[in-house]
Amino acid sequence: MRATKKMSTRHRPRIVSGFFGWLWLFVTIIPIYYIIVTSLRPREDYYKEGAFAIPGDPSLRAYNEVIQNDFGLYLGNSLFVTVITVAVTLTICVMASFVIIRRRTRGITRTFRFFLLGIAIPIQATIVPVYLMIVQLGLYDTLWALIFPSVGFAIPITILILTNFMRDIPRELFESMTVDGATNMQILRRLVLPMSAPALITVGIYDALNVWNGFLFPLILTQSSGKRVLPLSLWTYQGEFTADVPAILAAVVLSVIPLFVAYVIGRRQMVAGLTAGFGK
């Protein structure tokens, strides 16, 4: 009887959790559906048809207009800024995290805590000093003006995740490689980097997402149309008195595709990296 009761309890449907799960799915799907449907709607039919109605005459006019309106330039700028920022951030943070876990001195601990203070500083609170430094360095209205601040604000959370992940690597592996005469650079290249692949993919996707969707730095630190990135390029389809909503949403769809592909490829490693080290 007890076994039967346990089996019935184990297979009892979780109505409340299932309801909220479907509710959250519904809330998530509705905006995505609206964006895709509206991007396929002709501009003249945008105000005639219902917001969630299937387009009576679907058209790729908005996508053609976006592609012909320097979308390739904006995409290239975003890719350049994102790739360089992620590469520089990972290079710095991998070496810093390796030193933090290998040398547990008082100075290293204080340095680690100093890095973590950056998580509590919002970007909006630093935009004025960042603007002044970029102008004094002569980098205003360049793509490097977006890269350097993005690297600085990505370092704290990246070091936090990498450090917690690297601490899970067994110390016996470090000791065995040290006994075999391996240098710190060899240990980093042959042991730490292969075993930290999930964390590297995690912070890579996370940092890339923040840089790719960044709007404040491009708005303040760039001016010319040739230096625009995708989030800032959406202004191209907004006039003085009206806006081409289907074209704006078509640009949104096209700009999301690269990050969506990256997430699909590395989603398993991303979950493993986010959950590593926080269960202790």
Side-chain angles (χ1 to χ4, degrees):
M1 291 295 292
R2 291 183 178 179
T4 305
K5 187 175 182 180
K6 289 182 179 179
M7 290 293 294
S8 62
T9 304
R10 184 177 303 173
H11 294 284
R12 183 181 301 170
R14 301 179 179 178
I15 300 176
V16 177
S17 59
F19 171 77
F20 283 105
W22 282 103
L23 179 63
W24 178 250
L25 178 63
F26 180 78
V27 172
T28 306
I29 289 295
I30 288 299
I32 299 175
Y33 170 80
Y34 172 78
I35 291 173
I36 296 176
V37 168
T38 305
S39 66
L40 297 174
R41 201 183 306 277
R43 183 176 183 180
E44 57 273 10
D45 295 340
Y46 174 71
Y47 295 102
K48 295 180 182 179
E49 301 178 347
F52 297 99
I54 298 178
D57 185 18
S59 173
L60 296 177
R61 190 274 317 171
Y63 290 91
N64 292 331
E65 182 176 347
V66 169
I67 294 175
Q68 294 174 3
N69 197 0
D70 293 333
F71 180 80
L73 174 63
Y74 305 145
L75 177 63
N77 291 340
S78 291
L79 286 174
F80 178 80
V81 173
T82 302
V83 171
I84 297 299
T85 300
V86 173
V88 174
T89 303
L90 290 182
T91 302
I92 295 174
C93 294
V94 164
M95 293 187 292
S97 300
F98 180 73
V99 173
I100 290 172
I101 65 169
R102 291 290 290 166
R103 299 182 180 178
R104 297 186 177 181
T105 62
R106 184 173 300 178
I108 295 296
T109 303
R110 290 178 179 177
T111 303
F112 177 58
R113 294 175 180 176
F114 176 77
F115 277 126
L116 297 185
L117 287 177
I119 300 177
I121 302 176
I123 295 178
Q124 294 80 1
T126 63
I127 192 61
V128 173
V130 168
Y131 172 81
L132 293 177
M133 286 189 294
I134 292 298
V135 171
Q136 291 176 358
L137 291 173
L139 297 176
Y140 180 75
D141 200 23
T142 65
L143 296 180
W144 292 103
L146 308 180
I147 293 174
F148 289 128
S150 299
V151 170
F153 281 97
I155 284 177
I157 187 64
T158 305
I159 287 182
L160 175 63
I161 295 176
L162 290 180
T163 302
N164 281 280
F165 195 94
M166 291 181 183
R167 283 174 178 165
D168 288 342
I169 300 177
R171 285 196 164 274
E172 292 78 8
L173 298 179
F174 289 101
E175 294 174 357
S176 62
M177 292 193 68
T178 303
V179 171
D180 292 338
T183 62
N184 286 330
M185 188 57 64
Q186 291 174 336
I187 294 175
L188 177 63
R189 186 175 66 253
R190 298 177 183 177
L191 174 64
V192 176
L193 290 181
M195 298 194 68
S196 301
L200 293 175
I201 295 176
T202 298
V203 294
I205 294 178
Y206 180 81
D207 294 338
L209 183 63
N210 288 332
V211 177
W212 190 270
N213 293 330
F215 183 81
L216 183 60
F217 284 153
L219 177 65
I220 302 299
L221 303 178
T222 59
Q223 184 178 9
S224 61
S225 60
K227 305 302 179 183
R228 287 178 180 174
V229 291
L230 286 177
L232 195 60
S233 68
L234 299 180
W235 278 10
T236 306
Y237 312 104
Q238 183 173 348
E240 184 177 359
F241 301 105
T242 185
D244 190 350
V245 179
I248 293 176
L249 297 184
V252 171
V253 173
L254 292 176
S255 64
V256 167
I257 292 176
L259 284 182
F260 179 75
V261 173
Y263 172 76
V264 170
I265 295 175
R267 66 186 185 278
R268 292 183 180 178
Q269 291 82 356
M270 184 175 181
V271 173
L274 286 174
T275 56
F278 292 97
K280 294 183 178 180

